[in-house]
PDB file of all heavy atoms in Angstrom:
ATOM      1  N   VAL J   4       0.140   7.616   1.191  1.00 75.00           N
ATOM      2  CA  VAL J   4      -0.567   8.691   0.492  1.00 75.00           C
ATOM      3  C   VAL J   4      -0.250  10.070   1.080  1.00 75.00           C
ATOM      4  O   VAL J   4      -0.705  11.080   0.544  1.00 75.00           O
ATOM      5  CB  VAL J   4      -2.101   8.464   0.496  1.00 75.00           C
ATOM      6  CG1 VAL J   4      -2.444   7.190  -0.266  1.00 75.00           C
ATOM      7  CG2 VAL J   4      -2.632   8.414   1.920  1.00 75.00           C
ATOM      8  N   ALA J   5       0.539  10.100   2.144  1.00 82.00           N
ATOM      9  CA  ALA J   5       0.834  11.387   2.772  1.00 82.00           C
ATOM     10  C   ALA J   5       1.510  12.370   1.812  1.00 82.00           C
ATOM     11  O   ALA J   5       1.138  13.559   1.786  1.00 82.00           O
ATOM     12  CB  ALA J   5       1.685  11.164   4.021  1.00 82.00           C
ATOM     13  N   PRO J   6       2.507  11.931   0.993  1.00 82.00           N
ATOM     14  CA  PRO J   6       3.119  12.910   0.066  1.00 82.00           C
ATOM     15  C   PRO J   6       2.115  13.479  -0.935  1.00 82.00           C
ATOM     16  O   PRO J   6       2.186  14.660  -1.281  1.00 82.00           O
ATOM     17  CB  PRO J   6       4.193  12.079  -0.647  1.00 82.00           C
ATOM     18  CG  PRO J   6       4.520  10.969   0.297  1.00 82.00           C
ATOM     19  CD  PRO J   6       3.213  10.639   0.968  1.00 82.00           C
ATOM     20  N   LEU J   7       1.182  12.654  -1.389  1.00 84.00           N
ATOM     21  CA  LEU J   7       0.167  13.154  -2.320  1.00 84.00           C
ATOM     22  C   LEU J   7      -0.698  14.197  -1.625  1.00 84.00           C
ATOM     23  O   LEU J   7      -0.948  15.277  -2.179  1.00 84.00           O
ATOM     24  CB  LEU J   7      -0.693  11.996  -2.830  1.00 84.00           C
ATOM     25  CG  LEU J   7      -1.914  12.378  -3.677  1.00 84.00           C
ATOM     26  CD1 LEU J   7      -1.508  13.162  -4.917  1.00 84.00           C
ATOM     27  CD2 LEU J   7      -2.708  11.137  -4.078  1.00 84.00           C
ATOM     28  N   ARG J   8      -1.103  13.901  -0.416  1.00 85.00           N
ATOM     29  CA  ARG J   8      -1.934  14.880   0.310  1.00 85.00           C
ATOM     30  C   ARG J   8      -1.155  16.170   0.558  1.00 85.00           C
ATOM     31  O   ARG J   8      -1.705  17.265   0.463  1.00 85.00           O
ATOM     32  CB  ARG J   8      -2.409  14.267   1.626  1.00 85.00           C
ATOM     33  CG  ARG J   8      -3.377  13.129   1.372  1.00 85.00           C
ATOM     34  CD  ARG J   8      -3.946  12.545   2.627  1.00 85.00           C
ATOM     35  NE  ARG J   8      -4.853  11.449   2.278  1.00 85.00           N
ATOM     36  CZ  ARG J   8      -5.787  10.980   3.076  1.00 85.00           C
ATOM     37  NH1 ARG J   8      -5.974  11.499   4.262  1.00 85.00           N
ATOM     38  NH2 ARG J   8      -6.557   9.993   2.672  1.00 85.00           N
ATOM     39  N   ALA J   9       0.142  16.020   0.850  1.00 86.00           N
ATOM     40  CA  ALA J   9       0.970  17.209   1.091  1.00 86.00           C
ATOM     41  C   ALA J   9       1.103  18.037  -0.185  1.00 86.00           C
ATOM     42  O   ALA J   9       1.053  19.274  -0.140  1.00 86.00           O
ATOM     43  CB  ALA J   9       2.343  16.784   1.606  1.00 86.00           C
ATOM     44  N   ALA J  10       1.272  17.340  -1.323  1.00 86.00           N
ATOM     45  CA  ALA J  10       1.413  18.073  -2.588  1.00 86.00           C
ATOM     46  C   ALA J  10       0.132  18.815  -2.935  1.00 86.00           C
ATOM     47  O   ALA J  10       0.169  19.961  -3.408  1.00 86.00           O
ATOM     48  CB  ALA J  10       1.793  17.110  -3.718  1.00 86.00           C
ATOM     49  N   LEU J  11      -1.007  18.180  -2.698  1.00 87.00           N
ATOM     50  CA  LEU J  11      -2.288  18.840  -2.968  1.00 87.00           C
ATOM     51  C   LEU J  11      -2.470  20.047  -2.054  1.00 87.00           C
ATOM     52  O   LEU J  11      -2.915  21.110  -2.486  1.00 87.00           O
ATOM     53  CB  LEU J  11      -3.437  17.849  -2.797  1.00 87.00           C
ATOM     54  CG  LEU J  11      -3.460  16.664  -3.776  1.00 87.00           C
ATOM     55  CD1 LEU J  11      -4.581  15.687  -3.405  1.00 87.00           C
ATOM     56  CD2 LEU J  11      -3.629  17.135  -5.211  1.00 87.00           C
ATOM     57  N   ALA J  12      -2.080  19.885  -0.794  1.00 86.00           N
ATOM     58  CA  ALA J  12      -2.208  20.998   0.159  1.00 86.00           C
ATOM     59  C   ALA J  12      -1.271  22.138  -0.230  1.00 86.00           C
ATOM     60  O   ALA J  12      -1.642  23.320  -0.173  1.00 86.00           O
ATOM     61  CB  ALA J  12      -1.911  20.509   1.573  1.00 86.00           C
ATOM     62  N   ALA J  13      -0.045  21.778  -0.665  1.00 85.00           N
ATOM     63  CA  ALA J  13       0.928  22.812  -1.048  1.00 85.00           C
ATOM     64  C   ALA J  13       0.443  23.596  -2.262  1.00 85.00           C
ATOM     65  O   ALA J  13       0.826  24.748  -2.459  1.00 85.00           O
ATOM     66  CB  ALA J  13       2.278  22.172  -1.352  1.00 85.00           C
ATOM     67  N   ALA J  14      -0.378  22.956  -3.078  1.00 85.00           N
ATOM     68  CA  ALA J  14      -0.922  23.639  -4.250  1.00 85.00           C
ATOM     69  C   ALA J  14      -2.213  24.390  -3.906  1.00 85.00           C
ATOM     70  O   ALA J  14      -2.943  24.803  -4.821  1.00 85.00           O
ATOM     71  CB  ALA J  14      -1.184  22.623  -5.357  1.00 85.00           C
ATOM     72  N   ASP J  15      -2.482  24.543  -2.610  1.00 83.00           N
ATOM     73  CA  ASP J  15      -3.688  25.253  -2.153  1.00 83.00           C
ATOM     74  C   ASP J  15      -4.958  24.596  -2.655  1.00 83.00           C
ATOM     75  O   ASP J  15      -5.957  25.273  -2.909  1.00 83.00           O
ATOM     76  CB  ASP J  15      -3.673  26.731  -2.595  1.00 83.00           C
ATOM     77  CG  ASP J  15      -2.625  27.521  -1.849  1.00 83.00           C
ATOM     78  OD1 ASP J  15      -2.316  27.137  -0.702  1.00 83.00           O
ATOM     79  OD2 ASP J  15      -2.111  28.491  -2.422  1.00 83.00           O
ATOM     80  N   LEU J  16      -4.912  23.275  -2.830  1.00 84.00           N
ATOM     81  CA  LEU J  16      -6.106  22.540  -3.243  1.00 84.00           C
ATOM     82  C   LEU J  16      -6.805  22.045  -1.982  1.00 84.00           C
ATOM     83  O   LEU J  16      -6.443  21.012  -1.419  1.00 84.00           O
ATOM     84  CB  LEU J  16      -5.729  21.379  -4.164  1.00 84.00           C
ATOM     85  CG  LEU J  16      -5.466  21.792  -5.613  1.00 84.00           C
ATOM     86  CD1 LEU J  16      -4.682  20.712  -6.339  1.00 84.00           C
ATOM     87  CD2 LEU J  16      -6.768  22.067  -6.341  1.00 84.00           C
ATOM     88  N   ASP J  17      -7.748  22.804  -1.539  1.00 82.00           N
ATOM     89  CA  ASP J  17      -8.485  22.478  -0.325  1.00 82.00           C
ATOM     90  C   ASP J  17      -9.679  21.615  -0.738  1.00 82.00           C
ATOM     91  O   ASP J  17     -10.755  22.121  -1.041  1.00 82.00           O
ATOM     92  CB  ASP J  17      -8.938  23.776   0.352  1.00 82.00           C
ATOM     93  CG  ASP J  17      -9.600  23.491   1.683  1.00 82.00           C
ATOM     94  OD1 ASP J  17      -9.415  22.370   2.215  1.00 82.00           O
ATOM     95  OD2 ASP J  17     -10.318  24.374   2.185  1.00 82.00           O
ATOM     96  N   LEU J  18      -9.449  20.306  -0.752  1.00 85.00           N
ATOM     97  CA  LEU J  18     -10.444  19.389  -1.304  1.00 85.00           C
ATOM     98  C   LEU J  18     -11.105  18.592  -0.198  1.00 85.00           C
ATOM     99  O   LEU J  18     -10.464  18.227   0.792  1.00 85.00           O
ATOM    100  CB  LEU J  18      -9.765  18.424  -2.286  1.00 85.00           C
ATOM    101  CG  LEU J  18      -9.027  19.092  -3.455  1.00 85.00           C
ATOM    102  CD1 LEU J  18      -8.211  18.062  -4.224  1.00 85.00           C
ATOM    103  CD2 LEU J  18     -10.016  19.779  -4.368  1.00 85.00           C
ATOM    104  N   PRO J  19     -12.380  18.273  -0.367  1.00 86.00           N
ATOM    105  CA  PRO J  19     -13.047  17.424   0.620  1.00 86.00           C
ATOM    106  C   PRO J  19     -12.422  16.023   0.634  1.00 86.00           C
ATOM    107  O   PRO J  19     -11.887  15.572  -0.383  1.00 86.00           O
ATOM    108  CB  PRO J  19     -14.503  17.361   0.136  1.00 86.00           C
ATOM    109  CG  PRO J  19     -14.548  18.045  -1.167  1.00 86.00           C
ATOM    110  CD  PRO J  19     -13.261  18.717  -1.436  1.00 86.00           C
ATOM    111  N   PRO J  20     -12.484  15.331   1.776  1.00 84.00           N
ATOM    112  CA  PRO J  20     -11.818  14.025   1.902  1.00 84.00           C
ATOM    113  C   PRO J  20     -12.244  13.020   0.855  1.00 84.00           C
ATOM    114  O   PRO J  20     -11.411  12.235   0.378  1.00 84.00           O
ATOM    115  CB  PRO J  20     -12.230  13.564   3.309  1.00 84.00           C
ATOM    116  CG  PRO J  20     -12.549  14.814   4.040  1.00 84.00           C
ATOM    117  CD  PRO J  20     -13.087  15.782   3.044  1.00 84.00           C
ATOM    118  N   ASP J  21     -13.521  13.059   0.455  1.00 86.00           N
ATOM    119  CA  ASP J  21     -13.939  12.054  -0.533  1.00 86.00           C
ATOM    120  C   ASP J  21     -13.293  12.306  -1.896  1.00 86.00           C
ATOM    121  O   ASP J  21     -12.984  11.377  -2.641  1.00 86.00           O
ATOM    122  CB  ASP J  21     -15.469  12.007  -0.652  1.00 86.00           C
ATOM    123  CG  ASP J  21     -16.065  13.345  -1.057  1.00 86.00           C
ATOM    124  OD1 ASP J  21     -15.507  14.384  -0.645  1.00 86.00           O
ATOM    125  OD2 ASP J  21     -17.063  13.350  -1.788  1.00 86.00           O
ATOM    126  N   VAL J  22     -13.046  13.587  -2.217  1.00 86.00           N
ATOM    127  CA  VAL J  22     -12.378  13.901  -3.490  1.00 86.00           C
ATOM    128  C   VAL J  22     -10.908  13.471  -3.417  1.00 86.00           C
ATOM    129  O   VAL J  22     -10.364  12.904  -4.378  1.00 86.00           O
ATOM    130  CB  VAL J  22     -12.510  15.405  -3.814  1.00 86.00           C
ATOM    131  CG1 VAL J  22     -11.694  15.761  -5.062  1.00 86.00           C
ATOM    132  CG2 VAL J  22     -13.971  15.771  -4.017  1.00 86.00           C
ATOM    133  N   VAL J  23     -10.286  13.737  -2.273  1.00 86.00           N
ATOM    134  CA  VAL J  23      -8.890  13.298  -2.110  1.00 86.00           C
ATOM    135  C   VAL J  23      -8.816  11.774  -2.238  1.00 86.00           C
ATOM    136  O   VAL J  23      -7.916  11.232  -2.887  1.00 86.00           O
ATOM    137  CB  VAL J  23      -8.320  13.763  -0.749  1.00 86.00           C
ATOM    138  CG1 VAL J  23      -6.931  13.175  -0.517  1.00 86.00           C
ATOM    139  CG2 VAL J  23      -8.262  15.292  -0.706  1.00 86.00           C
ATOM    140  N   GLY J  24      -9.783  11.095  -1.664  1.00 87.00           N
ATOM    141  CA  GLY J  24      -9.820   9.627  -1.763  1.00 87.00           C
ATOM    142  C   GLY J  24      -9.948   9.167  -3.201  1.00 87.00           C
ATOM    143  O   GLY J  24      -9.294   8.204  -3.622  1.00 87.00           O
ATOM    144  N   LEU J  25     -10.764   9.878  -3.959  1.00 86.00           N
ATOM    145  CA  LEU J  25     -10.939   9.519  -5.370  1.00 86.00           C
ATOM    146  C   LEU J  25      -9.643   9.749  -6.148  1.00 86.00           C
ATOM    147  O   LEU J  25      -9.247   8.932  -6.996  1.00 86.00           O
ATOM    148  CB  LEU J  25     -12.082  10.339  -5.971  1.00 86.00           C
ATOM    149  CG  LEU J  25     -12.458  10.027  -7.416  1.00 86.00           C
ATOM    150  CD1 LEU J  25     -12.937   8.582  -7.550  1.00 86.00           C
ATOM    151  CD2 LEU J  25     -13.544  10.975  -7.903  1.00 86.00           C
ATOM    152  N   ILE J  26      -8.983  10.861  -5.865  1.00 88.00           N
ATOM    153  CA  ILE J  26      -7.700  11.141  -6.537  1.00 88.00           C
ATOM    154  C   ILE J  26      -6.690  10.047  -6.202  1.00 88.00           C
ATOM    155  O   ILE J  26      -5.960   9.564  -7.081  1.00 88.00           O
ATOM    156  CB  ILE J  26      -7.175  12.539  -6.124  1.00 88.00           C
ATOM    157  CG1 ILE J  26      -8.082  13.627  -6.696  1.00 88.00           C
ATOM    158  CG2 ILE J  26      -5.733  12.736  -6.589  1.00 88.00           C
ATOM    159  CD1 ILE J  26      -7.802  15.021  -6.137  1.00 88.00           C
ATOM    160  N   GLU J  27      -6.675   9.634  -4.942  1.00 86.00           N
ATOM    161  CA  GLU J  27      -5.750   8.562  -4.547  1.00 86.00           C
ATOM    162  C   GLU J  27      -6.076   7.267  -5.286  1.00 86.00           C
ATOM    163  O   GLU J  27      -5.184   6.551  -5.746  1.00 86.00           O
ATOM    164  CB  GLU J  27      -5.822   8.343  -3.038  1.00 86.00           C
ATOM    165  CG  GLU J  27      -5.198   9.474  -2.248  1.00 86.00           C
ATOM    166  CD  GLU J  27      -5.563   9.412  -0.771  1.00 86.00           C
ATOM    167  OE1 GLU J  27      -6.316   8.482  -0.370  1.00 86.00           O
ATOM    168  OE2 GLU J  27      -5.102  10.296  -0.036  1.00 86.00           O
ATOM    169  N   GLN J  28      -7.364   7.004  -5.396  1.00 85.00           N
ATOM    170  CA  GLN J  28      -7.781   5.757  -6.073  1.00 85.00           C
ATOM    171  C   GLN J  28      -7.386   5.789  -7.544  1.00 85.00           C
ATOM    172  O   GLN J  28      -6.895   4.799  -8.095  1.00 85.00           O
ATOM    173  CB  GLN J  28      -9.292   5.580  -5.938  1.00 85.00           C
ATOM    174  CG  GLN J  28      -9.803   4.271  -6.539  1.00 85.00           C
ATOM    175  CD  GLN J  28     -11.325   4.207  -6.562  1.00 85.00           C
ATOM    176  OE1 GLN J  28     -12.021   5.185  -6.308  1.00 85.00           O
ATOM    177  NE2 GLN J  28     -11.840   3.028  -6.871  1.00 85.00           N
ATOM    178  N   ARG J  29      -7.595   6.953  -8.181  1.00 86.00           N
ATOM    179  CA  ARG J  29      -7.335   7.038  -9.624  1.00 86.00           C
ATOM    180  C   ARG J  29      -5.845   7.121  -9.920  1.00 86.00           C
ATOM    181  O   ARG J  29      -5.369   6.518 -10.878  1.00 86.00           O
ATOM    182  CB  ARG J  29      -8.032   8.278 -10.202  1.00 86.00           C
ATOM    183  CG  ARG J  29      -9.529   8.147 -10.314  1.00 86.00           C
ATOM    184  CD  ARG J  29     -10.138   9.379 -10.950  1.00 86.00           C
ATOM    185  NE  ARG J  29      -9.665   9.579 -12.325  1.00 86.00           N
ATOM    186  CZ  ARG J  29     -10.025  10.601 -13.092  1.00 86.00           C
ATOM    187  NH1 ARG J  29     -10.848  11.518 -12.629  1.00 86.00           N
ATOM    188  NH2 ARG J  29      -9.578  10.710 -14.326  1.00 86.00           N
ATOM    189  N   LEU J  30      -5.119   7.923  -9.155  1.00 87.00           N
ATOM    190  CA  LEU J  30      -3.742   8.236  -9.533  1.00 87.00           C
ATOM    191  C   LEU J  30      -2.688   7.542  -8.678  1.00 87.00           C
ATOM    192  O   LEU J  30      -1.493   7.602  -9.010  1.00 87.00           O
ATOM    193  CB  LEU J  30      -3.541   9.754  -9.516  1.00 87.00           C
ATOM    194  CG  LEU J  30      -4.461  10.492 -10.497  1.00 87.00           C
ATOM    195  CD1 LEU J  30      -4.339  11.997 -10.352  1.00 87.00           C
ATOM    196  CD2 LEU J  30      -4.157  10.086 -11.940  1.00 87.00           C
ATOM    197  N   GLY J  31      -3.125   6.887  -7.604  1.00 87.00           N
ATOM    198  CA  GLY J  31      -2.174   6.146  -6.770  1.00 87.00           C
ATOM    199  C   GLY J  31      -1.358   5.123  -7.560  1.00 87.00           C
ATOM    200  O   GLY J  31      -0.124   5.069  -7.416  1.00 87.00           O
ATOM    201  N   PRO J  32      -2.000   4.329  -8.426  1.00 88.00           N
ATOM    202  CA  PRO J  32      -1.215   3.357  -9.202  1.00 88.00           C
ATOM    203  C   PRO J  32      -0.169   4.009 -10.103  1.00 88.00           C
ATOM    204  O   PRO J  32       0.927   3.475 -10.280  1.00 88.00           O
ATOM    205  CB  PRO J  32      -2.292   2.633 -10.020  1.00 88.00           C
ATOM    206  CG  PRO J  32      -3.542   2.765  -9.216  1.00 88.00           C
ATOM    207  CD  PRO J  32      -3.454   4.120  -8.585  1.00 88.00           C
ATOM    208  N   LEU J  33      -0.503   5.177 -10.666  1.00 90.00           N
ATOM    209  CA  LEU J  33       0.481   5.866 -11.504  1.00 90.00           C
ATOM    210  C   LEU J  33       1.683   6.275 -10.665  1.00 90.00           C
ATOM    211  O   LEU J  33       2.840   6.061 -11.051  1.00 90.00           O
ATOM    212  CB  LEU J  33      -0.155   7.096 -12.158  1.00 90.00           C
ATOM    213  CG  LEU J  33       0.829   8.032 -12.878  1.00 90.00           C
ATOM    214  CD1 LEU J  33       1.498   7.333 -14.052  1.00 90.00           C
ATOM    215  CD2 LEU J  33       0.137   9.307 -13.344  1.00 90.00           C
ATOM    216  N   LEU J  34       1.414   6.849  -9.484  1.00 89.00           N
ATOM    217  CA  LEU J  34       2.525   7.284  -8.635  1.00 89.00           C
ATOM    218  C   LEU J  34       3.367   6.083  -8.190  1.00 89.00           C
ATOM    219  O   LEU J  34       4.595   6.166  -8.132  1.00 89.00           O
ATOM    220  CB  LEU J  34       1.981   8.051  -7.429  1.00 89.00           C
ATOM    221  CG  LEU J  34       1.260   9.360  -7.787  1.00 89.00           C
ATOM    222  CD1 LEU J  34       0.634   9.994  -6.554  1.00 89.00           C
ATOM    223  CD2 LEU J  34       2.218  10.344  -8.462  1.00 89.00           C
ATOM    224  N   ALA J  35       2.720   4.977  -7.924  1.00 89.00           N
ATOM    225  CA  ALA J  35       3.463   3.766  -7.540  1.00 89.00           C
ATOM    226  C   ALA J  35       4.337   3.290  -8.702  1.00 89.00           C
ATOM    227  O   ALA J  35       5.461   2.817  -8.494  1.00 89.00           O
ATOM    228  CB  ALA J  35       2.483   2.667  -7.120  1.00 89.00           C
TER     229      ALA J  35
END
Side-chain angles (χ1 to χ4, degrees):
Chain J
V4 297
L7 173 59
R8 293 184 181 200
L11 296 175
D15 290 332
L16 280 162
D17 185 17
L18 302 171
D21 59 326
V22 174
V23 174
L25 184 62
I26 292 169
E27 289 166 0
Q28 183 188 10
R29 287 183 63 181
L30 299 174
L33 171 64
L34 296 175

